[in-house]
Amino acid sequence: MQIRRCRFEVDEGFVMTGDERSSPSVLSGKEYAVWLADIKARLRQAQLKAAVSVNTALLEFYWQLGSEIVEKQQSAKWGSSFLARLSRDLMKEFPEMKGFSETNLRFIRRWYQFYGDDVSNSVTACDRIEPGVLSAAAGDQKVAQAVPLLTQIPWGHNRVIISKCSSVDEALFYVRKTIENNWSRNILTHQIESGLYGRDGKAISNFSLTLPAPQSDLAQQIIKDPYTFDFLSLSPEYTERELEKGLIKHITQFLLELGSGFAYVGKQRVLTVGERDFFLDLLFYHTRLHCYVVIELKTGDFEPEYAGKLNFYLKAVDMQLKTEQDDPTVGILLCKNHDALVVEYALSDIRKPIGVSEYELVHSLPDDLKDSFPTVEQIEEELRRLEE
């Protein structure tokens, strides 16, 4: 038997044998690289679809299992002790699966019970519900209609939501936000603990008067009140410039707090009007609104003149930066406090779209509670004692 030796050479990012090198039918390095990149992209999409499909099928099974556990406990009066036996039997039969611990079985039952028969009241047409995904065994048809929404997020996310939310409306709000923004479990937890449900879309604005209906609704949804900047550590007498620098230093956390769609453009952007220069605190572009967003920072209470100045900035951006493809520029005024009626009066005759929100920095404990919590040194000492 003759062994043919091949010489390998590197050409423009990939490896070819000597025979391939001399063959006129072989793709060039650039063509191969493009084709390979396309294959990789399609494979990743296939993997993602497979993972989503597996997640959906598993959660549909969990939902049906939760329904059956509840039914068995009610009709057969088995109580909750049988979950330990069910856990042992399932783990014995399916040792490679990790979802059948007694704790997780309790979460499956709790997940099913949490949403209940009224879950459909919180489901809207925008949730893209696909009827017929589950069989009648899944329980009440109204409940079954919501399951395709719940099964679009991982099980760990579902556990976090039912552990931290007090109502179905709040829970489904975070389910939708997770789907929309592709949140990790840590980010989801942060958003729940920061009270996003109570802050989202709550800012006072004039959007309904200054923007067409579809854009005004979306603009209102992207603004919170208050914003939580708990990632900042500023002195009690911080200035607007210090606040601005802190937000830019922690731009990742800042963008997370702003929400999806915000792209950072720059700070202290210079706009020349006439013979004067004006400086925008922060400039963003919103990819869903398709417009520039000017954010102005104030360390004190809202004053009516702030709205007039921001209105001027928006006009300048529309004249100098906005293109024909962009929608009208939106302004967000962040201040430490505001009087709602004063804000409504100030915005009533403003022609540019402006929203006004408060912001919160790190919350400190009241002095009378500080002594109730252990110090870092005390915690470290306790940990050392336990390790001994």
Side-chain angles (χ1 to χ4, degrees), residues 267-273 276-280 320-321:
K267 65 175 182 178
Q268 292 297 308
R269 179 66 180 264
V270 181
L271 294 176
T272 302
V273 179
R276 294 183 56 186
D277 291 335
F278 297 88
F279 299 87
L280 309 180
Q320 299 184 22
L321 301 180

Side-chain angles (χ1 to χ4, degrees), residues 290-314:
H290 302 290
C291 69
Y292 286 101
V293 179
V294 177
I295 297 182
E296 284 293 295
L297 306 170
K298 301 297 178 183
T299 58
D301 295 346
F302 172 83
E303 296 293 344
E305 54 264 32
Y306 297 160
K309 190 172 184 179
L310 183 52
N311 183 70
F312 172 81
Y313 287 162
L314 299 182

Side-chain angles (χ1 to χ4, degrees), residues 219-239:
Q220 187 65 47
Q221 291 173 18
I222 70 167
I223 300 188
K224 308 170 186 176
D225 189 26
Y227 286 86
T228 301
F229 300 149
D230 53 4
F231 50 85
L232 294 181
S233 180
L234 300 173
S235 63
E237 302 301 325
Y238 64 92
T239 64

Side-chain angles (χ1 to χ4, degrees), residues 172-275:
L172 290 181
F173 168 84
Y174 287 112
V175 171
R176 296 185 185 102
K177 286 293 184 181
T178 299
I179 296 170
E180 176 185 339
N181 302 306
N182 195 28
W183 283 342
S184 68
R185 197 188 312 179
N186 287 339
I187 292 178
L188 169 63
T189 301
H190 169 78
Q191 297 290 13
I192 297 176
E193 293 179 347
S194 69
L196 177 63
Y197 176 67
R199 301 184 289 123
D200 201 52
K202 300 299 191 296
I204 303 173
S205 74
N206 63 355
F207 295 156
S208 62
L209 303 176
T210 57
L211 294 172
Q215 191 184 23
S216 64
D217 293 341
L218 180 57
Q220 187 65 47
Q221 291 173 18
I222 70 167
I223 300 188
K224 308 170 186 176
D225 189 26
Y227 286 86
T228 301
F229 300 149
D230 53 4
F231 50 85
L232 294 181
S233 180
L234 300 173
S235 63
E237 302 301 325
Y238 64 92
T239 64
E240 290 168 6
R241 184 59 61 86
E242 289 174 334
L243 176 59
E244 172 194 298
K245 289 181 177 178
L247 293 175
I248 299 306
K249 181 180 179 181
H250 301 277
I251 189 65
T252 300
Q253 293 95 321
F254 184 32
L255 287 171
L256 176 61
E257 177 61 13
L258 288 177
S260 63
F262 281 89
Y264 175 59
V265 177
K267 65 175 182 178
Q268 292 297 308
R269 179 66 180 264
V270 181
L271 294 176
T272 302
V273 179
E275 298 182 355

